[in-house]
Amino acid sequence: MNTKYIFITGGVVSSLGKGIVAASLARLLQSRGLSVTIQKFDPYINVDPGTLNPYEHGECYVTNDGAETDLDLGHYERFLNVPTSQANNVTTGRIYKTVIDNEREGLYLGKTVQIIPHITDEIKRRMTLLGKSGKFDIVITEIGGTVGDMESTPFLEAVRQLQWEMPDGDCIVLHLTLVPFLHAAQELKTKPTQHSVKMLQQEGIKPDIIVCRTEVPIPDAMKRKIALFCNVKADSVFENQDAKSIYEVPLLLHMQGLDDIVLKKLKFRNIPQPDLTDWQNFLNKLFSPKSEVDIALVGKYVELQDAYKSIQEAFVHAGAVNLCKVHVHTVHSEYLDASNLKEKLKGMDGILVAPGFGGRGIEGKILAVKYARENKIPFFGICLGMQMAVIEYARDVLKLKDACSTEVRPQTKNPVIDLMEEQKTLTTKGGTMRLGAYDCRLKEGTLAYKIYGSKMIAERHRHRYEFNEQYADMMEKAGLVLSGRNPQTGLVEIVELPQKVHPFFIGVQFHPELSSTVLKPQPIFVNFVKAAMKHKSGK
């Protein structure tokens, strides 16, 4: 059977949750025995999100093969429990770069290079690339941005052409829109949805299914009105009401029959009902916690929740496993100092020092590490957080008062964190960090080994600076355990304190939050929450 394609567009406003709808639909179809993947097409001109500020775009999600991608790919992996790759995220920048490179090489034989057909042909090629691999029954493509945006127009034109080119039943369009509830009038309003679909139709695209984001339930009569004015069948209008958790959305959509209608329109036959037992078990645990803990997330981008999206979701997964509600309290490291440290961190059952770049706010992170270490509060440092743990240990235990990272102080006399050797000759920023999954060999008998239960692991990286090997002997003699190293390069990946000295103190150079999924929670997060629960009971 040919690969089938589902295109998901959005209207009215951004941030309606196209990524969650795409991931939820994919989860339902996967649960019915189909092989599904999801890809995201973003309309900005950056080649990838790697150079985007977290305040602009939220976190940059990294795949196993080293692609810096949109954070929605994290949702795809968390819902499907299947790794994504370079091919699952495409930007306008990448499309134009490919076309311009082709033009420079003379591949267009002197023709005038235009948006149609050259740009749209490249978009279509990318949209169907995963389908042509033969690995998937269904490819779901999320189109970033909002219908009506100038930037999205070439993507929508490519969808229009594919809708025209493909046989009936091989391609459908699902449009996500907003039905606002006016509290003053106590009324739902369908007009924004009507205008949104009208704009989509002006692009030449007829939606097959409409999903309406809403705060309150939409009456059947209103759904029929939307169907009538938007030229879709009455059974093809669904509501996506605000839920207690994003992980409840697949079940809510299934209860309305979204997956049945999708399969019907794609002309699938005799597909079994979904097996959602594991998913329901997860939700049962998530909604029935028997304890709760307070975790401080110390970072420099805390104003925007999406900047640490994967960390937040990893705590959801780890909390459910432990039947524990994890309350994450964000603490801005730039405004953390000796005068307010105790006030901000008092009462916390665990302290996580988050990733980041640059010198802003690092002294606050170092103070948070010191507070956790001295007060024996469970501590977890990720990437820059691990590096801050090393600096704090060097300053306070080894008495190297000027110890720092060369990222912050290039002329420091004690660069315990230094630029990786292969990074020193690079002049471009985009896509040049140490990216993707790398092996790490764990030292037996350590906390890391107990957590993973394995000698060899692989986790995803995104960094330029590393633990300076010149300080390894000095650190180990002073009691810091270097419990994980890359077997090829010797790069220190994990540092920790012995459990006889501290109940739970671990820092990792990689990003474990990126590999946490609903059905396979990340083990360090699971054990960190467990340690926080133990610390709370000890109090």
Side-chain angles (χ1 to χ4, degrees):
M1 181 181 286
N2 291 337
T3 299
K4 309 279 188 169
Y5 295 88
I6 302 170
F7 295 98
I8 298 183
T9 58
V12 186
V13 294
S14 59
S15 301
L16 281 182
K18 291 194 301 293
I20 300 300
V21 169
S24 298
L25 177 56
R27 178 69 209 170
L28 293 174
L29 297 171
Q30 184 192 58
S31 299
R32 301 180 77 137
L34 295 167
S35 175
V36 187
T37 191
I38 321 174
Q39 55 188 355
K40 173 80 180 282
F41 279 66
D42 267 315
Y44 47 80
I45 298 177
N46 304 65
V47 173
D48 57 48
T51 54
L52 287 174
N53 189 315
Y55 288 126
E56 287 258 337
H57 201 71
E59 78 171 2
C60 176
Y61 190 80
V62 179
T63 61
N64 278 333
D65 65 351
E68 293 175 293
T69 71
D70 183 79
L71 61 82
D72 273 325
L73 269 74
H75 291 312
Y76 306 163
E77 291 200 15
R78 286 187 281 272
F79 277 67
L80 288 178
N81 202 34
V82 174
T84 52
S85 70
Q86 188 89 30
N88 291 79
N89 190 205
V90 180
T91 67
T92 292
R94 185 167 292 169
I95 296 292
Y96 273 81
K97 187 175 184 300
T98 301
V99 171
I100 290 169
D101 288 346
N102 287 345
E103 187 273 334
R104 293 290 81 190
E105 293 174 19
L107 297 185
Y108 299 124
L109 304 175
K111 290 182 179 178
T112 302
V113 179
Q114 297 176 289
I115 292 175
I116 301 172
H118 301 96
I119 296 297
T120 51
D121 281 353
E122 177 59 20
I123 293 172
K124 289 191 293 181
R125 185 185 74 81
R126 299 268 188 160
M127 284 178 168
T128 56
L129 198 59
L130 287 168
K132 289 175 181 174
S133 69
K135 297 178 182 177
F136 304 107
D137 298 311
I138 297 174
V139 175
I140 298 176
T141 302
E142 177 191 346
I143 306 296
T146 307
V147 170
D149 294 346
M150 185 183 297
E151 296 92 341
S152 301
T153 303
F155 290 134
L156 294 175
E157 171 59 20
V159 172
R160 183 197 70 78
Q161 292 180 21
L162 286 173
Q163 201 178 28
W164 174 70
E165 292 168 3
M166 289 183 177
D168 289 347
D170 277 11
C171 160
I172 62 170
V173 174
L174 183 156
H175 188 58
L176 178 65
T177 182
L178 177 69
V179 176
F181 181 71
L182 302 185
H183 289 270
Q186 291 292 296
E187 280 186 305
L188 284 163
K189 290 295 182 182
T190 65
K191 196 63 72 177
T193 291
Q194 293 177 42
H195 284 303
S196 174
V197 172
K198 184 178 180 181
M199 292 184 79
L200 188 64
Q201 290 172 335
Q202 285 173 347
E203 299 287 349
I205 298 172
K206 179 187 179 299
D208 300 282
I209 296 170
I210 295 174
V211 176
C212 304
R213 181 69 185 270
T214 177
E215 294 179 56
V216 298
I218 300 174
D220 288 341
M222 189 165 283
K223 289 181 183 176
R224 287 194 294 273
K225 178 183 177 182
I226 291 170
L228 176 65
F229 281 90
C230 296
N231 198 26
V232 299
K233 298 292 185 183
D235 64 358
S236 299
V237 178
F238 299 87
E239 70 179 32
N240 182 21
Q241 191 179 342
D242 293 354
K244 288 187 291 183
S245 165
I246 59 172
Y247 301 112
E248 200 179 9
V249 174
L251 298 186
L252 296 175
L253 293 176
H254 173 62
M255 286 168 59
Q256 298 176 66
L258 176 63
D259 44 326
D260 289 323
I261 290 295
V262 165
L263 292 172
K264 179 181 176 183
K265 290 182 181 293
L266 291 175
K267 297 186 178 179
F268 279 96
R269 299 286 183 268
N270 303 318
I271 302 297
Q273 285 298 305
D275 180 2
L276 296 165
T277 307
D278 288 346
W279 203 263
Q280 188 64 66
N281 289 341
F282 164 77
L283 288 174
N284 292 342
K285 292 177 182 177
L286 181 65
F287 295 145
S288 307
K290 295 183 178 178
S291 59
E292 53 187 74
V293 293
D294 294 285
I295 304 287
L297 192 164
V298 183
K300 58 172 75 175
Y301 312 117
V302 296
E303 298 97 329
L304 185 68
Q305 184 174 319
D306 280 354
Y308 301 112
K309 190 63 179 173
S310 290
I311 292 175
Q312 298 274 3
E313 296 306 319
F315 275 127
V316 174
H317 310 153
V321 170
N322 287 295
L323 293 174
C324 177
K325 173 67 177 175
V326 180
H327 300 283
V328 179
H329 304 264
T330 54
V331 178
H332 203 308
S333 61
E334 190 175 4
Y335 307 118
L336 196 61
D337 56 38
S339 67
N340 62 11
L341 181 67
K342 191 172 181 181
E343 175 199 340
K344 295 283 188 184
L345 299 180
K346 186 180 179 182
M348 292 296 131
D349 304 308
I351 296 172
L352 184 147
V353 176
F357 295 91
R360 183 173 61 87
I362 73 150
E363 294 300 329
K365 290 189 175 189
I366 291 169
L367 283 173
V369 175
K370 181 180 174 69
Y371 186 86
R373 183 176 62 81
E374 292 183 342
N375 291 282
K376 293 188 167 38
I377 301 169
F379 168 79
F380 184 11
I382 298 177
C383 197
L384 183 65
M386 172 266 204
Q387 295 174 4
M388 296 304 100
V390 171
I391 292 171
E392 191 279 327
Y393 205 79
R395 289 182 184 180
D396 204 66
V397 179
L398 273 64
K399 306 303 179 186
L400 304 175
K401 297 300 180 184
D402 65 337
C404 204
S405 166
T406 54
E407 180 181 14
V408 179
R409 291 186 205 157
Q411 306 306 321
T412 180
K413 292 179 181 177
N414 284 292
V416 292
I417 303 296
D418 198 9
L419 187 64
M420 301 178 73
E421 198 61 39
E422 61 267 29
Q423 293 285 322
K424 292 180 180 178
T425 57
L426 296 175
T427 55
T428 57
K429 297 293 184 187
T432 57
M433 282 187 268
R434 186 171 191 253
L435 295 166
Y438 286 87
D439 290 335
C440 178
R441 181 179 287 119
L442 305 182
K443 192 179 289 186
E444 291 188 49
T446 61
L447 175 60
Y449 185 82
K450 289 177 189 174
I451 287 171
Y452 281 98
S454 173
K455 286 184 181 179
M456 191 73 74
I457 62 169
E459 293 279 10
R460 302 177 201 184
H461 292 248
R462 185 174 183 252
H463 63 104
R464 298 184 192 279
Y465 291 80
E466 65 173 329
F467 180 97
N468 190 337
E469 187 63 32
Q470 293 178 14
Y471 292 85
D473 289 344
M474 195 185 305
M475 291 280 188
E476 289 189 298
K477 285 174 184 174
L480 189 68
V481 180
L482 311 182
S483 56
R485 287 179 178 269
N486 178 271
Q488 282 78 40
T489 64
L491 170 68
V492 174
E493 304 270 21
I494 308 175
V495 301
E496 61 181 70
L497 290 176
Q499 286 188 285
K500 63 183 179 182
V501 174
H502 193 288
F504 190 99
F505 189 101
I506 191 167
V508 298
Q509 183 60 73
F510 47 81
H511 288 263
E513 72 275 17
L514 300 178
S515 61
S516 188
T517 70
V518 168
L519 301 181
K520 195 177 179 183
Q522 211 286 329
I524 304 181
F525 278 88
V526 171
N527 283 271
F528 180 51
V529 170
K530 199 174 292 181
M533 292 166 65
K534 189 174 180 180
H535 180 267
K536 182 172 183 174
S537 65
K539 286 192 297 188

